[in-house]
Amino acid sequence: MIEVKKAIIVGATSGIGYEVAKILHSEGWILGLAGRREDRLKSIKEELGGNNIHIKSIDIRREGAEADLLSLIDMLGGMDLYFHSSGIGFQNYDLTQEIEINTLETNGTGFVRMIGAAYRYFMNKNNGKGHIAVISSIAGTKGLGIAPAYSATKRMQNTYIDALEQLSYIHKAEIVFTDIRPGFVDTNLLNDGKNYPMLMNPVKVAHIIVASIRKKQRIVVIDWKYSILVFFWRLIPRFVWKRMKIKN
């Protein structure tokens, strides 16, 4: 008998998370979909149909959100894959404090809260086995002056996954980690009226992500154009980088 895989997707109400949910659902996965907008979650469940979809409204910025995640896992009867697609990003040319703090609480504290809960579940409830996949960003490569908190929290996410991978090894666990680093994807996250170069289709990106998860790839930069960009970004000396007037 083939065991049906079970996945939790946090940030499933739109964009990449929503597209990944559709693909996994078509492949027969049992899904737990989470996001802040309960009405949207209900709409997605009705759209996809079937009894293999469970939903729960979760605000990752809220203390106690990890308990909501465990409750959703119980609805599924377990979890094989935790996919984190919840995050925000803003250009903040004037360094408005509210934008910076909100970004930090979502991409920093909220990220650690949920990834940590998924890790502990796999360690304590699933015999040290599981798969954690996260959407970070190529923005973690360098500090972008127009988006300080966003680029800083994305670098933190990259490092946090590195650290958990080592911690998992120390505990002799078999947790797989996939750090997905897309460039600009045509989702609501970039719906701010600004022009972004090399925009990618979210459906295409989602298919690449699912394929990468299936292959258990460790780091995935999407797509080849951004791989080249990141390669050259890393080579730019700091004294040159600070003089670059990056507007978008």
Side-chain angles (χ1 to χ4, degrees):
M1 182 176 178
I2 299 176
E3 183 180 0
V4 178
K5 293 290 187 178
K6 302 168 183 176
I8 299 287
I9 301 176
V10 174
T13 55
S14 63
I16 294 174
Y18 168 65
E19 297 298 340
V20 168
K22 290 197 295 183
I23 295 170
L24 294 184
H25 177 261
S26 71
E27 294 181 355
W29 285 63
I30 297 175
L31 299 180
L33 307 182
R36 284 187 292 171
R37 294 180 291 164
E38 187 173 7
D39 58 337
R40 176 61 179 150
L41 290 170
K42 290 178 179 179
S43 176
I44 293 172
K45 180 174 181 178
E46 183 178 350
E47 171 195 341
L48 298 182
N51 298 320
N52 288 339
I53 296 178
H54 304 269
I55 60 173
K56 193 167 188 64
S57 175
I58 300 178
D59 183 349
I60 67 172
R61 300 170 302 176
R62 185 182 61 81
E63 286 189 29
E66 59 271 33
D68 293 331
L69 173 61
L70 294 177
S71 174
L72 185 56
I73 294 172
D74 285 342
M75 292 181 193
L76 271 66
M79 175 175 70
D80 301 296
L81 167 68
Y82 175 83
F83 181 66
H84 191 90
S85 185
S86 180
I88 58 174
F90 303 95
Q91 293 189 28
N92 193 11
Y93 191 75
D94 296 322
L95 201 66
T96 302
Q97 177 174 292
E98 181 182 357
I99 293 175
E100 296 296 279
I101 297 300
N102 188 28
T103 302
L104 178 61
E105 289 178 347
T106 304
N107 297 353
T109 304
F111 178 88
V112 169
R113 176 178 288 121
M114 303 307 289
I115 298 299
Y119 176 88
R120 288 186 291 273
Y121 170 82
F122 287 137
M123 287 295 299
N124 302 325
K125 304 290 186 179
N126 208 47
N127 299 316
K129 297 180 180 179
H131 192 160
I132 294 175
V134 306
I135 300 290
S136 60
S137 173
I138 63 165
T141 307
K142 288 279 190 180
L144 300 173
I146 57 170
Y150 180 72
S151 52
T153 52
K154 290 303 176 178
R155 174 71 69 86
M156 183 280 293
Q157 291 178 0
N158 301 153
T159 304
Y160 197 75
I161 293 301
D162 287 344
L164 288 192
E165 182 181 42
Q166 186 181 76
L167 183 62
S168 174
Y169 183 81
I170 291 171
H171 286 293
K172 297 181 171 58
E174 299 177 36
I175 301 176
V176 176
F177 296 89
T178 299
D179 184 353
I180 301 150
R181 304 175 184 180
F184 294 132
V185 183
D186 190 9
T187 66
N188 288 338
L189 186 64
L190 301 184
N191 188 20
D192 56 7
K194 297 182 174 65
N195 295 318
Y196 292 88
M198 298 190 294
L199 271 178
M200 296 182 290
N201 182 282
V203 176
K204 179 181 178 181
V205 169
H207 278 282
I208 294 173
I209 289 171
V210 172
S212 302
I213 290 172
R214 192 179 295 117
K215 296 174 185 175
K216 299 181 178 180
Q217 289 180 251
R218 177 62 182 82
I219 296 174
V220 185
V221 177
I222 307 173
D223 61 359
W224 66 269
K225 297 185 293 294
Y226 285 101
S227 296
I228 295 172
L229 177 64
V230 168
F231 174 80
F232 284 107
W233 267 10
R234 295 182 187 280
L235 299 179
I236 299 173
R238 181 171 288 116
F239 76 91
V240 174
W241 180 261
K242 76 175 183 179
R243 291 170 170 81
M244 295 179 67
K245 297 180 180 180
I246 299 175
K247 294 291 183 68
N248 261 334

